[in-house]
Amino acid sequence: MASIADHSGNGAALARQAELLAREPSEDRAMANAIRALAIDAVEAAKSGHPGMPMGMADAATTLYRKFLKFDAAAPDWWDRDRFVLSAGHGSMLLYALLHLTGHEGMGIEQIKSFRQLHSRAAGHPEYGEHPAIEMTTGPLGQGFATSVGMALAERMLAAKFGKSLVDHRTWVIAGDGCLQEGVSHEAAALAGHLKLNKLTVLWDDNSISIDGATSVSTSEDTLKRFAAYGWNTRRIDGHDFEELAAALTFAQKSSKPTIIACKTIIGFGAPTKAGTAGVHGAALGGAEAEGAKKALGWNHLPFTVPDEIYAPWREAGSRGAATRRAWLKRLAKHPMRAEFERVMQGKLPEGWVEAMSAYKAGLAEAKPKLATRQASQKALEALVQAVPELVGGSADLTGSNLTLIKGMGDVTPGNYAGRYIYYGIREFGMAAAMNGIALHGGLIPYGGTFFVFADYMRPAIRLAALMGTRAIHVLTHDSIGLGEDGPTHQPIEHLASFRAMPNVLVLRPADAIETAEAWEIAIKNAKGPSLLVLSRQGVPALRESANGNKSARGAYVLAEANGPRAATIIATGTEVSLAMAARKTLAAQGIEVAVVSAPCLELFAQQSPEYQKEVLGTASRIGVEAAGGFGWERWLGPDGIFIGMNGFGASAPAEILYEHFGITEAAIVAAVKKEGN
């Protein structure tokens, strides 16, 4: 195996490259060179991009797509296809070249020519939704790897439910050094190894180069030993040797564990002077270097031109899975669970779930329970888990605090995937990324819990879900200073404002049990992005008299109107709505009439018509109440409004003392209304 030694320095890389280029030409190498040429041409035309990784991993990708990946280019959304994730998303031309060469409709040569241009499907990094064969948005390193764990887990869970005849596919990942250095890769790899997700295979582009130069400037770990410790099978091969690549992928198919294959490659393979250097990572080669690379590769064709004799085997690879797909369709047609399988894979909610929630809410309206909204969430889940069988839950080691486990769900354990509840461990980022993968795979609706303050750990995955429009539901409890004695490290202050600032995210902070049920209904229906259920530790009284419809769906509504002209409008969310209602009662006894607006989701309220917003907010002075920072509230309070909330971090004390200490009280609201009236 001397050929895969870890050479250091450009000279050693170029010497190895010369040795490899001197080998007997093969059809595999010619096919791989088509990827390299397209990557070179597209990056040169765009005058920006990352040619090095596609050039280095072209041989591995060719082997995967030609002989191992189960797919049919004519039906890229086939449900039992293998999933391929390009975690090293900066090397996007690798994926676009593969889709083009294998004959995927919508990735013609004109799309390749428009690489990195406005409205091109071939964006700078792969973007979910731009082409049906792009499984997810990648680019933020490590997230593709971590999300693939959720895809692999979803496959195992659905196979346990529907059987191997309908669900039997693999998840393949190409990841780089950067992906495996990012912290989320540690979380995700540990989870995958623990759960024995043997149908997950990672091809690591082990090129020893990062933007700053050789990876040795920043790391000296033995990555394969790390993965072995997580419970993975490992292999180290020459990433430019087609026989070694095929043998390693065959080994992965037979593995009882997830597998990582270290493909020792030369970044920018073929470039005459820049190969094996950071200089080929993130910039166009330049005219002379590009011409020299093509000459070294024996590629004597005009830019963006692939000869028919090379297209032919690639198109054959693209149609290789057609017979397998047709056989699967025949099995699906005869399967006794066909209707249910098609329903969940199409993302259609089951019949009867709306009625089940309506009956549950009617019971709440009658009983009027005083509950923490995290407890109300658990009770809502008791109805939903029964009514929506594709709903699967979990928590980042806080099950007993988040109240996310419902009796009878069953646990997902290593080798046993028939349950519906996943113990993610203390891996918030890994959990959120895996939830994205479960949602992207299709067939399941994931929810996962942690404390709201730890949503900071999940933010990149929530943002990616927002970009992709992925339905992932985050149960975020202990939502404010109301969690009490755990103190400022655990008390979210700026978090509501920061997530409200993130496009395509619904931040739902319900005020009582009925609003919590409504928030769950909104989240279940929201198939266009992530939903955050922000829930309290402390109990709150029942505030709603009626459970008809879903008032929270409009984002904000008048919970209690003034008896006469409004002296003021008090707008509050979550646990502070009960303070506003108490203040309203006190003020009424003094002859001052105010309206209380509950605003569980300001994003939804912002989508309402100006007429509805004006009807709810009124024309009187406005007071906002929320046990968090006030950033963003000025939009709803206007220039003369008053905000009652937090101006800094919290403190450690019982909740009721903290509310008094920070001046978020009924008395403070009363005083603010009177001040506005003077």
Side-chain angles (χ1 to χ4, degrees), residues 284-308:
L285 296 182
E289 188 78 6
E291 184 179 345
K294 289 185 177 182
K295 183 177 180 181
L297 295 169
W299 191 264
N300 303 310
H301 310 289
L302 292 173
F304 298 107
T305 301
V306 178
D308 291 342

Side-chain angles (χ1 to χ4, degrees), residues 110 148 199 213 256 342 436 506 511 565:
E110 292 305 315
S148 73
K199 300 182 82 171
S256 61
E342 289 180 335
N436 287 349
L506 294 184

